[in-house]
Amino acid sequence: MFYTEKTYDIDELCKCNMHTHSIFSKCSKPEMVFEDMIKAAESFGLSTLAITDHSDLHDGICSVGNYRKLKKRLSEINTPVRVLVGAEMSAYAVGKFGEPYRIDKEIEFCSYSCVHYHLDFWQQPDDRSVHGYAKHMLAVLSALFDTDRADNIAHPFSPCKMKFFDPEQKKTMLACITDEELYGIMKKGENAGCSWELHKSSVMNFPDFYRRFFFIGKEAGVHFTVGTDAHRLHDIDTADFADYLKILIKD
């Protein structure tokens, strides 16, 4: 389901940070204590903060247990910020997902990653070319949208973790996705009730693609979210990303 209103106004989008990690994510810094994250969101003027800790059977994290702990702690916190306790889930192959369906349905905000190809358990395409990876991502997303698992797509199409490709190959891979394919998959996601993240580091590393991504998504009428993938408290702030996005999509 959609957790934010549909808007293409950058200031409105950036009032919500829909991708952050608490200390329950192994990659996060010790300062990312739940209560301190909420205080930081308040100080930065956010209206919504989504906690999206990694959740996958392969990482040894008890996602449901952590979810329940944070929901209990949230019930004892008085804050003007709308706090969503969610998870960053995995669609690691066509029709294969990192958690059982019942866990998806308990956790309130499921943001799905389809691009963590650096992980050992992630399925690699038979065709290891840039074109092969582009087509594989589209197929994984299409199969995900045939279910009702996903509320959001985290860092969609991002090649940031594809360390086996050099920077030019990564750009070429993104260019392999045609406008028609991008429109079609974004529309399918919208019809499935799934929003698309404007992910800070992905957008800033591959601005040409994500400018195209934004305008095609707008044409398709999709819901966008903004996520900084924060692993430190200061990264919860979306202000500098908002400034960057406004320049990027300026006609």
Side-chain angles (χ1 to χ4, degrees):
M1 63 178 286
F2 298 118
Y3 283 85
T4 58
E5 296 295 324
K6 183 185 293 188
T7 181
Y8 304 109
D9 180 270
I10 298 303
D11 288 322
E12 287 300 313
L13 282 168
C14 288
K15 288 179 181 178
C16 307
N17 191 340
M18 306 297 284
H19 190 162
T20 67
H21 293 275
S22 82
I23 54 174
F24 285 142
S25 289
K26 296 176 182 178
C27 52
S28 201
K29 300 301 180 184
E31 66 193 59
M32 295 296 273
V33 176
F34 183 57
E35 290 79 1
D36 293 336
M37 294 174 71
I38 295 172
K39 290 177 184 175
E42 291 175 3
S43 71
F44 297 137
L46 297 182
S47 62
T48 302
L49 175 71
I51 313 295
T52 52
D53 287 315
H54 291 288
S55 178
D56 200 291
L57 288 174
H58 302 272
D59 58 20
I61 295 173
C62 182
S63 55
V64 167
N66 291 342
Y67 169 79
R68 292 170 181 166
K69 289 175 187 175
L70 293 184
K71 286 293 286 185
K72 184 177 185 301
R73 284 158 65 178
L74 180 61
S75 69
E76 300 167 353
I77 297 172
N78 182 22
T79 177
V81 177
R82 178 194 184 200
V83 180
L84 300 173
V85 181
E88 184 176 346
M89 302 289 199
S90 296
Y92 65 90
V94 177
K96 294 187 177 181
F97 312 104
E99 293 283 13
Y101 181 77
R102 61 178 175 79
I103 291 181
D104 276 41
K105 293 298 101 180
E106 179 168 351
I107 292 173
E108 66 182 327
F109 177 65
C110 294
S111 188
Y112 262 85
S113 169
C114 302
V115 296
H116 282 160
Y117 288 99
H118 64 296
L119 297 176
D120 290 342
F121 67 87
W122 216 267
Q123 184 187 72
Q124 308 296 316
D126 293 335
D127 177 359
R128 302 291 184 92
S129 70
V130 292
H131 183 269
Y133 275 92
K135 300 308 176 189
H136 190 256
M137 283 190 288
L138 289 166
V140 170
L141 283 165
S142 184
L144 175 60
F145 296 144
D146 288 334
T147 75
D148 63 344
R149 286 175 172 263
D151 300 311
N152 187 61
I153 301 300
H155 35 60
F157 307 107
S158 176
C160 289
K161 298 289 188 181
M162 297 179 181
K163 301 186 185 302
F164 41 83
F165 287 147
D166 65 34
E168 288 306 311
Q169 287 175 312
K170 291 175 181 179
K171 291 178 185 177
T172 301
M173 187 207 69
L174 292 172
C176 287
I177 303 171
T178 68
D179 289 355
E180 292 77 14
E181 288 172 328
L182 196 53
Y183 181 94
I185 198 64
M186 294 184 83
K187 192 70 174 180
K188 185 171 183 178
E190 175 70 15
N191 291 339
C194 184
S195 54
W196 294 85
E197 182 179 282
L198 295 166
H199 178 257
K200 183 177 179 179
S201 65
S202 300
V203 173
M204 295 179 81
N205 277 289
F206 303 97
D208 291 342
F209 175 79
Y210 286 102
R211 176 180 164 84
R212 182 162 67 101
F213 173 81
F214 178 83
F215 283 111
I216 289 175
K218 186 176 179 181
E219 181 185 353
V222 307
H223 284 68
F224 282 119
T225 64
V226 161
T228 65
D229 207 350
H231 291 70
R232 298 176 183 270
L233 288 176
H234 68 79
D235 290 331
I236 292 173
D237 192 6
T238 60
D240 62 336
F241 188 38
D243 291 340
Y244 183 89
L245 282 171
K246 284 184 224 178
I247 294 169
L248 181 69
I249 67 169
K250 187 175 180 180
D251 292 329

